[in-house]
Amino acid sequence: MRAIRGLWRWRHNPLRRATDLAEAWVALATLLFMVCVAPVLGVLVGTAADDALRRSVHDQQETRHRVTATVVRELDRSPLEVDPETAAAGDLRSRVLAEWTAPDGSARRGPVLAGIDSPHAGDRFGIWTDEHGRTVARPLDAATAMTHAVLAGTGAALAAAALAEGARRLVLWRMVRRRYARLDQAWDRAGPDWGRTGTGC
């Protein structure tokens, strides 16, 4: 913002260098990109992510089915077996051998995670399966999909703004290096005579 204010202030200043004006224009272009282009990019990415996630939600809801399973017996608990979509980090679920009927009518049996603190044979609980009765994670819901889409759009907008700011800093760094290089050359030319002007030496 200082560089943009300087753009107006430096307009007719006789001490203005070409690099001062260039720095201000680069800052203005960066600000316009951040204000106008980055949000549009975020909206486009968010919309694309939302469309893809809505299709995924629809597909998962079509192909995943909730069925009732019956506990046969409890299995040894493994601290590594946590359902990442339904359990909190410290919420360990019971690992049981269970039986269930697949949507296609076939009988299934296997180890699953049950949301039961202390399972006993005959306890019933719900699980998600595919069309063939294989256990799967619960389907993604619309609210979670929307949250992911918003996060994707926000992340894309922030990434674009950060990229623009990084490009501005790189351009500014190169301009300052050139300015210092020209200043060094000017000092080298003036160096031998510095302080002796008009002394007759």
Side-chain angles (χ1 to χ4, degrees):
M1 291 303 291
R2 287 194 308 263
I4 294 167
R5 284 195 304 270
L7 183 62
W8 183 261
R9 192 176 61 240
W10 281 99
R11 285 177 310 139
H12 303 297
N13 193 317
L15 298 177
R16 181 191 72 201
R17 298 169 294 190
T19 55
D20 295 325
L21 199 56
E23 284 178 26
W25 279 113
V26 168
L28 179 62
T30 303
L31 178 66
L32 289 175
F33 182 88
M34 288 179 173
V35 170
C36 299
V37 178
V40 171
L41 184 63
V43 168
L44 292 175
V45 170
T47 302
D50 185 51
D51 290 342
L53 287 169
R54 281 181 189 273
R55 284 194 300 274
S56 179
V57 166
H58 181 265
D59 291 345
Q60 288 183 14
Q61 289 177 347
E62 290 288 320
T63 59
R64 297 183 184 188
H65 308 279
R66 187 164 176 82
V67 300
T68 301
T70 304
V71 175
V72 175
R73 65 182 167 86
E74 185 175 8
L75 300 175
D76 292 335
R77 178 176 286 195
S78 169
L80 298 178
E81 294 193 49
V82 178
D83 184 353
E85 301 216 5
T86 58
D91 180 23
L92 294 180
R93 312 183 105 205
S94 301
R95 188 166 175 265
V96 299
L97 180 65
E99 295 176 336
W100 64 93
T101 302
D104 63 4
S106 60
R108 295 283 177 170
R109 181 182 178 120
V112 294
L113 294 174
I116 304 172
D117 289 335
S118 155
H120 301 290
D123 288 348
R124 297 165 73 81
F125 61 97
I127 60 171
W128 288 94
T129 70
D130 62 12
E131 295 166 339
H132 304 292
R134 293 183 293 257
T135 57
V136 293
R138 67 179 174 83
L140 187 66
D141 60 87
T144 304
M146 176 64 76
T147 301
H148 289 328
V150 169
L151 289 175
T154 303
L158 291 176
L163 187 61
E165 176 61 14
R168 184 193 72 82
R169 287 177 183 262
L170 179 62
V171 169
L172 184 61
W173 175 75
R174 291 187 61 115
M175 289 171 68
V176 169
R177 295 230 356 170
R178 269 193 215 138
R179 183 188 302 156
Y180 286 157
R182 285 197 299 270
L183 188 60
D184 287 343
Q185 290 169 1
W187 273 108
D188 287 343
R189 287 193 300 271
D193 295 329
W194 177 253
R196 293 186 287 176
T197 305
T199 62
C201 298

